[in-house]
Amino acid sequence: MSGVGGITTARRDTAAGDIPVDTPRLPAREAAESELSKPMYHENDPNFLQRALNQFWDWVAGVFDAAAGAAPGGPAGLAVLVVIVIGLAAALWWRLGTPQRSSRSADALFDSDGPRSAAQHRAAAETHAAALRWTEAVQERMRAIVRSLEERALLDPRPGRTADEAAAEAGRALPEHTTRLRAAARSFDDVTYGGRTADQPTYLSLRTLDLELDEAKPLLPGTSRGATG
């Protein structure tokens, strides 16, 4: 009976040899990952820098795509918005000037050429004014104001003092001139560090202030403003 014999033979073959392999799922995945991690499969992969750049440009593209989708008019509207932003930035730069302050030590009122008297600073200011160099004239006049206050002992000589600091300290001794002292310090800062150009009215304002301060009576310590006279 061939049928029975065939079944018997198949059972023997199965028992004797090739048993079907049923590998569990997790070990199979680990074996595949181990195989794919071999260097031979990654010879043409991009390096770390290339991958980082690709991710960055993908992010930039995503940002622009999102902005284009949100902007009125799509990409054309986005381009108009970019032009407007650039125009506003240029207007602010033109209006405010190029920032040139690097630290508070760079804001010192006096340069490092050595101390000069108030009279010397006034003479230098008048020389610049006669040559219509109003920026330099304003700078020298502000220095003359502060040096004069130091010579009158209304300010303690202090290297590195800024124009703003000098105005604030002088305002305590000469309270009636506080506002004009601060305005003078602001003019000095604008032309020295803010990239602006002074004009004749600005210089004449500082010149008048200098002459008035030279005759002003200070407020003595412990004296109220209403008690002066």
Side-chain angles (χ1 to χ4, degrees), residues 43 80 130 139 149 154 156 175:
E43 294 178 352
V80 172
Q139 292 171 326
L149 295 173
L154 298 182
D156 294 328

Side-chain angles (χ1 to χ4, degrees), residues 108-128 133 135-152 157-159 161 188:
L109 179 64
F110 297 100
D111 52 33
S112 57
D113 294 339
R116 290 189 291 172
S117 66
Q120 289 175 313
H121 285 296
R122 290 186 180 115
E126 290 297 311
T127 299
H128 288 306
R133 296 189 295 266
T135 295
E136 292 83 354
V138 164
Q139 292 171 326
E140 288 298 325
R141 204 77 202 192
M142 184 64 194
R143 290 168 180 146
I145 290 173
V146 176
R147 185 66 78 201
S148 176
L149 295 173
E150 291 178 348
E151 292 173 353
R152 294 172 59 191
R158 179 160 58 85
R161 174 188 279 124
F188 177 88

Side-chain angles (χ1 to χ4, degrees), residues 126 196 199:
E126 290 297 311
R196 297 187 181 181
D199 52 17

Side-chain angles (χ1 to χ4, degrees), residues 55-71:
Q55 292 177 356
F56 171 75
W57 289 120
D58 289 343
W59 175 79
V60 171
V63 170
F64 274 94
D65 289 343

Side-chain angles (χ1 to χ4, degrees), residues 27-50:
R29 185 177 65 183
E30 293 177 349
E33 291 176 351
S34 176
E35 177 66 21
L36 293 175
S37 66
K38 294 181 179 180
M40 60 181 294
Y41 295 106
H42 302 277
E43 294 178 352
N44 298 319
D45 287 355
N47 57 33
F48 175 78
L49 179 60
Q50 290 174 327

Side-chain angles (χ1 to χ4, degrees), residues 20-33:
V21 177
D22 185 10
T23 306
R25 183 173 302 175
L26 182 58
R29 185 177 65 183
E30 293 177 349
E33 291 176 351

Side-chain angles (χ1 to χ4, degrees), residues 73-121:
L78 178 62
V80 172
L81 291 177
V82 170
V83 171
I84 293 174
V85 170
I86 294 175
L88 289 174
L92 287 173
W93 180 85
W94 178 82
R95 178 67 179 85
L96 300 177
T98 304
Q100 298 180 3
R101 300 188 183 193
S102 57
S103 63
R104 291 299 300 169
S105 63
D107 294 349
L109 179 64
F110 297 100
D111 52 33
S112 57
D113 294 339
R116 290 189 291 172
S117 66
Q120 289 175 313
H121 285 296

